Amino acid sequence: MRKNIVAGNWKMNTTLPEGIALAKAVNEALKNITPKCDVVIGVPFTHLASVNEVIDKSKLGLGAENCADHLSGAYTGEVSAPMVASTGANYVILGHSERRQYYGETSETLKTKVNLALENNLTPIFCIGEVLEERENNTYFDVVKKQIEEALFELPADKFGQIILAYEPVWAIGTGKTATDDQAEEMHAFIRGVIADKYGKEIADNTSILYGGSCKPSNAKALFAKPNVDGGLIGGASLDAESFMGIVTAFE
Ligand code: PGA
């Protein structure tokens, strides 16, 4: 059966010493509990190797927030999937709306990145979600379906089965305006149906679909109680160990 997962996405926050301190605090908090979910932190490239040294990887997974669409070579400033994997990381967030919006990432690029991640033993946490206009003009189901189809549906079933999805309505990211638990459930159930139509019910039932967008300790419980919401991708609230742990412990 699918896993519950709470993953932090630190984005472009924390200096290296601050990031190490935050990772240590989350690691420390996890020592005393057995959470009902897998816990992952997605951190800046510069922090990966150092954070890997200070966390217990049997309790806390480590991920990057992006990787390059090439394996190696003359791509100044880029960081490849093998480089990420060589730090000890085992996850990579791909297709975040901020990468799509500000850095022009397309389904075509993301398809390549997903393949490179999988080939290098990184589990993609693949983000999808509509912008406000698409929510308001009722095209949000089509938009999300297209994002999944274009970037992921050429994968063979065994590879698709390794992907974690994160539904993040763009209008809810960093805005304090969370999707309601019913809105999240409606979309997550739809996504699971799209997967079932392509790969069958078993793979659909085994795919973890996280919710992201202003998720915090106060709303996580209601969101995670929904049958198709398998956890969260957490931005702002992952920058404080206490609030992040408040979300980790929201599973009943
Ligand atoms: P937020 O970000 O929790 O700060 O809204 C979520 C995300 O962008 O992954």
Side-chain angles (χ1 to χ4, degrees):
M1 212 34 201
R2 60 184 176 261
K3 282 180 181 166
N4 292 325
I5 301 162
V6 171
N9 173 13
W10 293 3
K11 309 193 179 184
M12 197 175 73
N13 292 296
T14 73
T15 61
L16 180 58
E18 288 165 353
I20 291 172
L22 176 55
K24 279 184 174 166
V26 172
N27 190 64
E28 199 55 39
L30 283 169
K31 270 189 186 153
N32 311 317
I33 59 164
T34 307
K36 296 195 174 106
C37 59
D38 285 2
V39 187
V40 177
I41 45 177
V43 312
F45 291 133
T46 46
H47 300 18
L48 285 167
S50 308
V51 166
N52 188 57
E53 294 298 312
V54 300
I55 60 174
D56 174 357
K57 297 284 285 305
S58 69
K59 298 201 89 171
L60 181 56
L62 178 62
E65 302 171 14
N66 182 26
C67 72
D69 56 344
H70 295 277
L71 262 185
S72 67
Y75 302 101
T76 302
E78 289 293 292
V79 177
S80 71
M83 290 174 182
V84 169
S86 73
T87 67
N90 17 45
Y91 296 85
V92 60
I93 299 167
L94 289 175
H96 192 280
S97 60
E98 288 150 16
R99 303 263 358 138
R100 294 177 190 259
Q101 205 175 333
Y102 308 144
Y103 301 96
E105 293 201 357
T106 62
S107 293
E108 207 51 41
T109 330
L110 290 169
K111 203 195 298 186
T112 308
K113 292 189 178 196
V114 166
N115 279 320
L116 290 173
L118 289 170
E119 280 165 20
N120 287 282
N121 300 318
L122 296 172
T123 300
I125 300 175
F126 190 82
C127 305
I128 50 195
E130 81 284 359
V131 299
L132 184 60
E133 192 191 343
E134 294 158 343
R135 170 62 55 174
E136 286 174 345
N137 67 18
N138 281 317
T139 55
Y140 50 101
F141 287 125
D142 294 340
V143 166
V144 168
K145 184 172 184 218
K146 193 158 173 264
Q147 288 173 337
I148 298 171
E149 282 174 348
E150 286 181 348
L152 303 177
F153 274 8
E154 280 176 31
L155 290 170
D158 62 321
K159 296 277 187 211
F160 183 87
Q162 294 172 42
I163 308 265
I164 297 165
L165 288 175
Y167 168 59
E168 301 204 306
V170 180
W171 46 271
I173 295 176
T175 57
K177 193 175 175 224
T178 329
T180 65
D181 39 333
D182 286 333
Q183 282 173 322
E185 172 60 18
E186 183 189 36
M187 179 58 89
H188 285 222
F190 170 77
I191 292 168
R192 208 176 296 288
V194 168
I195 301 169
D197 286 345
K198 168 77 181 169
Y199 291 106
K201 188 170 183 313
E202 191 180 336
I203 287 188
D205 282 346
N206 284 330
T207 302
S208 298
I209 309 175
L210 317 184
Y211 167 79
S214 300
C215 185
K216 30 187 192 281
S218 57
N219 58 27
K221 205 166 256 186
L223 284 160
F224 297 173
K226 291 293 178 186
N228 284 291
V229 179
D230 308 313
L233 182 57
I234 317 300
S238 73
L239 293 171
D240 174 80
E242 202 178 319
S243 67
F244 186 58
M245 290 309 296
I247 298 171
V248 167
T249 52
F251 280 102
E252 293 286 309

